[in-house]
Amino acid sequence: MHIDRRDSLKILGGSVAGLYTLGLLGGCESLQQQIQNRPTRRNIATLANNDPIVLAYRDAVTQMKALPMSDRRNWTRQAQIHQDFCPHGNWYFLPWHRAYLYYFETIVRHLSGFNEFALPYWNWTCTPRIPGHFFGPNNSLVDNTRTKGPNDTISTLVTGQDVLEDIL
């Protein structure tokens, strides 16, 4: 399909008109309420192993791993998106991850049925160990390719303040 300049202007004009109408109909306030009422991400180090957030995450990952590869929500396909498209090393890194995590959280909410789910974060500058939630038997969050165990400290060369400053 070929899109010429006229088609582009029509699309752009429709988008601008849609945004204008959204503003007139109070759509921005609705969007603002959604943003203000979104679930808050919590530090995984403060969550118990049986916290509803951890349980929902495990449940959704179990389901994602069971989905066929043809399903874009499949665990391996989600990892492949990150591997193939994540712009490590440039300014677009943080906004790209924000969008990626937004959609990942949406998948987890849908599969787990836990509408208040927000992906927990790991503050590796304060806790330089992989959280215990990612270890143990019959746990879908276990990654058998990890070279670090639950008691291993991760080097500050990987998780230190200098690394964080380089990212930011």
Side-chain angles (χ1 to χ4, degrees), residues 61 65 75 130 133-150 152:
V61 170
K65 288 179 176 181
W75 179 256
I130 298 172
H133 304 80
F134 295 91
F135 297 98
N138 302 317
N139 181 351
S140 61
L141 300 179
V142 170
D143 178 355
N144 293 324
T145 65
R146 281 192 193 107
T147 59
K148 297 287 185 186
D152 295 329

Side-chain angles (χ1 to χ4, degrees), residues 43-94:
N43 186 341
I44 197 159
T46 67
L47 302 177
N49 226 13
N50 64 348
D51 187 285
I53 293 169
V54 175
L55 296 177
Y57 190 25
R58 282 191 183 126
D59 178 47
V61 170
T62 298
Q63 291 184 57
M64 290 171 79
K65 288 179 176 181
L67 290 171
M69 282 296 289
S70 59
D71 191 315
R72 292 182 294 180
R73 300 169 303 164
N74 171 282
W75 179 256
T76 302
R77 290 212 41 203
Q78 288 296 306
Q80 195 69 45
I81 289 169
H82 185 264
Q83 180 177 337
D84 290 348
F85 299 105
C86 178
H88 287 104
N90 70 47
W91 70 269
Y92 200 52
F93 174 78
L94 292 177

Side-chain angles (χ1 to χ4, degrees), residues 79-145:
Q80 195 69 45
I81 289 169
H82 185 264
Q83 180 177 337
D84 290 348
F85 299 105
C86 178
H88 287 104
N90 70 47
W91 70 269
Y92 200 52
F93 174 78
L94 292 177
W96 188 92
H97 271 94
R98 181 173 291 259
Y100 177 79
L101 291 178
Y102 169 80
Y103 286 107
F104 186 83
E105 282 181 339
T106 301
I107 292 168
V108 172
R109 278 188 202 115
H110 176 76
L111 292 176
S112 69
F114 185 50
N115 293 329
E116 297 302 312
F117 178 82
L119 188 65
Y121 65 88
W122 169 32
N123 185 345
W124 37 261
T125 59
C126 295
T127 311
R129 288 181 169 82
I130 298 172
H133 304 80
F134 295 91
F135 297 98
N138 302 317
N139 181 351
S140 61
L141 300 179
V142 170
D143 178 355
N144 293 324
T145 65

